Coordinates of all heavy atoms in Angstrom, one line a residue:
S256 N 120.8 141.2 168.7 CA 119.7 140.5 168.0 C 120.3 139.3 167.2 O 119.7 138.3 167.2 CB 118.9 141.4 167.1 OG 119.8 142.0 166.2
E257 N 121.4 139.5 166.5 CA 121.9 138.5 165.5 C 122.3 137.2 166.3 O 122.1 136.1 165.9 CB 123.0 139.0 164.7 CG 122.5 140.1 163.7 CD 123.6 140.6 162.8 OE1 124.8 140.4 163.2 OE2 123.3 141.3 161.9
I258 N 123.0 137.4 167.4 CA 123.5 136.3 168.2 C 122.3 135.6 168.9 O 122.2 134.4 168.9 CB 124.5 136.8 169.3 CG1 125.8 137.4 168.5 CG2 124.9 135.6 170.2 CD1 126.7 138.0 169.4
W259 N 121.4 136.4 169.5 CA 120.3 135.8 170.3 C 119.4 135.0 169.4 O 118.7 134.1 169.7 CB 119.6 136.8 171.0 CG 120.3 137.3 172.2 CD1 121.7 137.3 172.5 CD2 119.8 137.9 173.4 NE1 121.9 137.8 173.7 CE2 120.8 138.2 174.3 CE3 118.5 138.2 173.8 CZ2 120.6 138.8 175.6 CZ3 118.3 138.8 175.1 CH2 119.3 139.1 175.9
E260 N 119.2 135.6 168.1 CA 118.2 134.9 167.2 C 118.7 133.5 166.8 O 117.8 132.6 166.5 CB 118.1 135.8 165.9 CG 117.1 135.2 164.9 CD 116.9 136.1 163.7 OE1 117.8 137.0 163.5 OE2 116.0 135.8 162.9
E261 N 119.9 133.2 166.8 CA 120.4 131.9 166.4 C 120.0 130.8 167.4 O 119.9 129.7 167.0 CB 122.0 131.9 166.4 CG 122.6 132.8 165.4 CD 124.1 132.8 165.4 OE1 124.7 132.2 166.3 OE2 124.7 133.5 164.6
K262 N 119.6 131.3 168.6 CA 119.1 130.3 169.7 C 117.7 130.3 169.9 O 117.1 129.7 170.8 CB 119.9 130.6 171.0 CG 121.4 130.5 170.9 CD 122.1 130.9 172.1 CE 123.6 130.8 172.0 NZ 124.3 131.2 173.3
A263 N 116.9 131.1 169.0 CA 115.5 131.3 169.3 C 114.8 130.1 168.7 O 115.1 129.5 167.6 CB 115.0 132.6 168.5
D264 N 113.6 129.7 169.4 CA 112.8 128.7 168.9 C 111.7 129.3 168.0 O 111.3 128.8 166.9 CB 112.0 128.0 170.0 CG 113.0 127.2 170.9 OD1 114.0 126.5 170.3 OD2 112.9 127.1 172.2
Y265 N 111.2 130.4 168.4 CA 110.1 131.1 167.6 C 110.9 132.2 166.7 O 110.8 133.4 167.0 CB 109.1 131.7 168.5 CG 108.1 130.7 169.0 CD1 108.5 129.7 169.8 CD2 106.7 130.9 168.7 CE1 107.5 128.8 170.3 CE2 105.7 130.1 169.2 CZ 106.2 129.0 170.0 OH 105.2 128.1 170.5
T266 N 111.6 131.7 165.7 CA 112.5 132.7 164.9 C 111.7 133.8 164.3 O 112.2 135.0 164.2 CB 113.4 131.9 163.9 OG1 112.4 131.2 163.1 CG2 114.3 131.0 164.6
E267 N 110.6 133.5 163.7 CA 109.9 134.6 162.9 C 109.3 135.6 163.8 O 109.2 136.8 163.5 CB 108.7 133.9 162.2 CG 109.2 133.0 161.0 CD 108.0 132.4 160.2 OE1 107.0 133.1 160.2 OE2 108.1 131.3 159.7
A268 N 109.0 135.2 165.1 CA 108.5 136.1 166.1 C 109.5 136.7 167.0 O 109.3 137.4 167.9 CB 107.4 135.4 167.0
F269 N 110.8 136.4 166.7 CA 111.9 136.8 167.6 C 111.9 138.4 167.8 O 112.1 138.8 169.0 CB 113.2 136.3 167.0 CG 114.4 136.9 167.7 CD1 114.7 136.5 169.0 CD2 115.2 137.9 167.1 CE1 115.9 137.0 169.7 CE2 116.3 138.4 167.8 CZ 116.6 138.0 169.0
P270 N 111.8 139.2 166.8 CA 111.7 140.6 167.0 C 110.7 141.1 168.0 O 110.9 141.8 168.9 CB 111.5 141.3 165.6 CG 111.9 140.2 164.7 CD 111.6 138.9 165.3
H271 N 109.5 140.5 167.9 CA 108.4 140.9 168.7 C 108.7 140.4 170.2 O 108.5 141.2 171.1 CB 107.1 140.2 168.3 CG 106.7 140.5 166.9 ND1 107.5 140.0 165.8 CD2 105.7 141.1 166.3 CE1 106.9 140.3 164.7 NE2 105.8 141.0 164.9
L272 N 109.2 139.2 170.3 CA 109.4 138.7 171.6 C 110.6 139.5 172.4 O 110.5 139.7 173.6 CB 109.7 137.2 171.6 CG 108.6 136.3 171.0 CD1 109.1 134.9 170.8 CD2 107.5 136.4 172.0
L273 N 111.6 139.9 171.7 CA 112.7 140.6 172.3 C 112.3 141.9 172.7 O 112.6 142.4 173.7 CB 114.0 140.6 171.3 CG 115.2 141.2 172.0 CD1 115.7 140.3 173.1 CD2 116.3 141.2 170.9
L274 N 111.5 142.6 171.9 CA 111.1 144.0 172.2 C 110.2 143.9 173.5 O 110.3 144.7 174.4 CB 110.3 144.6 171.0 CG 109.6 146.0 171.4 CD1 110.7 147.0 171.9 CD2 109.0 146.6 170.2
M275 N 109.3 142.9 173.5 CA 108.4 142.8 174.7 C 109.2 142.4 175.9 O 109.0 142.9 177.0 CB 107.3 141.6 174.4 CG 106.2 142.0 173.5 SD 104.9 140.9 173.4 CE 105.7 139.5 172.6
A276 N 110.3 141.6 175.8 CA 111.1 141.2 177.0 C 111.8 142.5 177.4 O 111.9 142.7 178.6 CB 112.1 140.2 176.5
F277 N 112.3 143.3 176.5 CA 113.0 144.6 176.9 C 112.1 145.5 177.6 O 112.4 146.1 178.6 CB 113.5 145.3 175.6 CG 114.3 146.5 175.8 CD1 115.6 146.4 176.1 CD2 113.7 147.8 175.8 CE1 116.4 147.6 176.3 CE2 114.4 148.9 176.0 CZ 115.7 148.8 176.3
L278 N 110.9 145.7 177.1 CA 109.9 146.5 177.8 C 109.5 146.0 179.2 O 109.3 146.7 180.2 CB 108.7 146.7 177.0 CG 108.9 147.4 175.6 CD1 107.7 147.4 174.7 CD2 109.3 148.9 175.8
Q279 N 109.3 144.7 179.2 CA 108.8 144.0 180.5 C 109.9 144.2 181.5 O 109.7 144.3 182.8 CB 108.5 142.5 180.3 CG 107.7 142.0 181.4 CD 106.3 142.4 181.5 OE1 105.6 142.6 180.5 NE2 105.9 142.8 182.7
R280 N 111.2 144.0 181.1 CA 112.3 144.3 182.0 C 112.4 145.7 182.7 O 112.7 145.9 183.8 CB 113.6 144.1 181.2 CG 114.9 144.1 182.1 CD 114.9 142.8 183.0 NE 116.2 142.7 183.8 CZ 116.3 143.3 185.0 NH1 115.3 144.0 185.5 NH2 117.4 143.1 185.7
I281 N 111.9 146.6 182.0 CA 111.9 148.0 182.4 C 110.7 148.2 183.4 O 110.9 148.8 184.5 CB 111.8 149.0 181.2 CG1 113.0 148.9 180.4 CG2 111.6 150.4 181.8 CD1 114.3 149.1 180.9
I282 N 109.5 147.9 183.0 CA 108.3 148.2 183.7 C 107.9 147.1 184.7 O 106.9 147.2 185.4 CB 107.1 148.4 182.8 CG1 106.7 147.2 182.1 CG2 107.4 149.5 181.7 CD1 105.3 147.3 181.4
N283 N 108.6 146.0 184.8 CA 108.2 144.8 185.6 C 107.8 145.2 187.0 O 108.6 145.8 187.8 CB 109.4 143.8 185.6 CG 109.0 142.5 186.1 OD1 107.8 142.0 185.8 ND2 109.8 141.8 186.8
G284 N 106.5 145.0 187.3 CA 106.1 145.2 188.7 C 105.5 146.6 188.8 O 104.8 146.9 189.8
G285 N 105.8 147.5 187.9 CA 105.4 148.8 188.1 C 104.3 149.3 187.1 O 103.8 150.5 187.2
G286 N 103.9 148.5 186.1 CA 102.9 148.8 185.2 C 102.3 147.5 184.6 O 102.6 146.4 185.0
M287 N 101.5 147.8 183.5 CA 100.9 146.6 182.8 C 101.1 146.9 181.3 O 101.1 148.0 180.9 CB 99.5 146.5 183.2 CG 99.2 146.2 184.7 SD 97.5 145.7 185.0 CE 97.5 144.1 184.2
V288 N 101.0 145.7 180.6 CA 101.1 145.8 179.1 C 99.9 145.0 178.6 O 99.7 143.8 178.9 CB 102.4 145.2 178.5 CG1 102.3 145.2 177.0 CG2 103.7 145.8 179.1
D289 N 99.0 145.7 177.9 CA 97.9 145.0 177.2 C 98.4 144.7 175.8 O 99.0 145.5 175.0 CB 96.7 145.9 177.1 CG 96.1 146.2 178.5 OD1 96.3 145.4 179.4 OD2 95.6 147.4 178.7
R290 N 98.1 143.4 175.4 CA 98.6 143.0 174.0 C 97.5 142.4 173.2 O 96.6 141.8 173.7 CB 99.6 141.8 174.3 CG 100.7 142.1 175.3 CD 101.5 140.9 175.7 NE 102.1 141.0 177.0 CZ 103.3 141.5 177.2 NH1 104.1 141.7 176.2 NH2 103.8 141.6 178.4
E291 N 97.6 142.9 171.9 CA 96.6 142.4 170.9 C 97.3 141.8 169.8 O 98.1 142.5 169.1 CB 95.7 143.6 170.4 CG 94.8 144.3 171.5 CD 93.6 143.4 172.0 OE1 93.3 142.5 171.2 OE2 93.1 143.6 173.0
Y292 N 97.0 140.5 169.5 CA 97.6 139.9 168.3 C 96.7 138.7 167.9 O 96.1 138.1 168.7 CB 99.0 139.5 168.6 CG 99.3 138.6 169.8 CD1 99.3 137.2 169.6 CD2 99.5 139.1 171.0 CE1 99.6 136.3 170.7 CE2 99.8 138.3 172.1 CZ 99.8 136.9 171.9 OH 100.1 136.1 173.1
A293 N 96.7 138.5 166.6 CA 95.9 137.4 166.0 C 96.3 137.2 164.6 O 96.9 138.1 164.0 CB 94.4 137.8 166.1
A294 N 95.9 136.1 164.0 CA 96.3 135.7 162.7 C 95.7 136.7 161.7 O 94.5 137.0 161.9 CB 95.9 134.3 162.4
G295 N 96.5 137.2 160.8 CA 95.9 138.0 159.7 C 95.8 139.5 160.1 O 95.5 140.3 159.2
R296 N 96.2 139.9 161.3 CA 96.2 141.4 161.6 C 97.3 142.1 161.1 O 97.2 143.4 160.9 CB 96.2 141.5 163.2 CG 95.0 140.9 163.9 CD 95.0 141.1 165.4 NE 94.5 142.4 165.7 CZ 95.3 143.4 166.3 NH1 96.6 143.1 166.6 NH2 94.9 144.5 166.6
G297 N 98.4 141.4 160.8 CA 99.6 142.1 160.1 C 100.4 142.9 161.1 O 101.3 143.6 160.6
R298 N 100.2 142.8 162.4 CA 100.9 143.5 163.4 C 100.6 143.0 164.7 O 99.6 142.2 165.0 CB 100.7 145.0 163.3 CG 99.4 145.6 164.1 CD 98.2 145.4 163.3 NE 97.0 146.1 163.9 CZ 95.8 145.9 163.5 NH1 95.5 145.2 162.4 NH2 94.8 146.6 164.1
M299 N 101.4 143.5 165.8 CA 101.0 143.3 167.2 C 101.0 144.7 167.8 O 101.7 145.5 167.6 CB 102.2 142.5 167.9 CG 102.0 142.4 169.3 SD 103.3 141.5 170.2 CE 102.9 139.8 169.9
D300 N 99.9 144.8 168.6 CA 99.7 146.1 169.3 C 99.9 145.9 170.8 O 99.4 144.9 171.5 CB 98.2 146.5 169.1 CG 97.9 146.9 167.7 OD1 98.8 147.5 167.0 OD2 96.8 146.6 167.2
L301 N 100.7 146.9 171.3 CA 100.9 146.9 172.8 C 100.4 148.2 173.3 O 100.6 149.3 172.7 CB 102.4 146.8 173.1 CG 103.2 145.6 172.4 CD1 104.7 145.7 172.8 CD2 102.6 144.3 172.9

């Protein structure tokens, strides 16, 4: 995370994006991810 974050464009959202990338790498083609996010919700739901 520390090395990859240095090259991130969306630095504040970097943790969310990396976790989603990790999950997508695992389930890619074999399942689906529904995502809920919006301003002021205080979290992202998967």
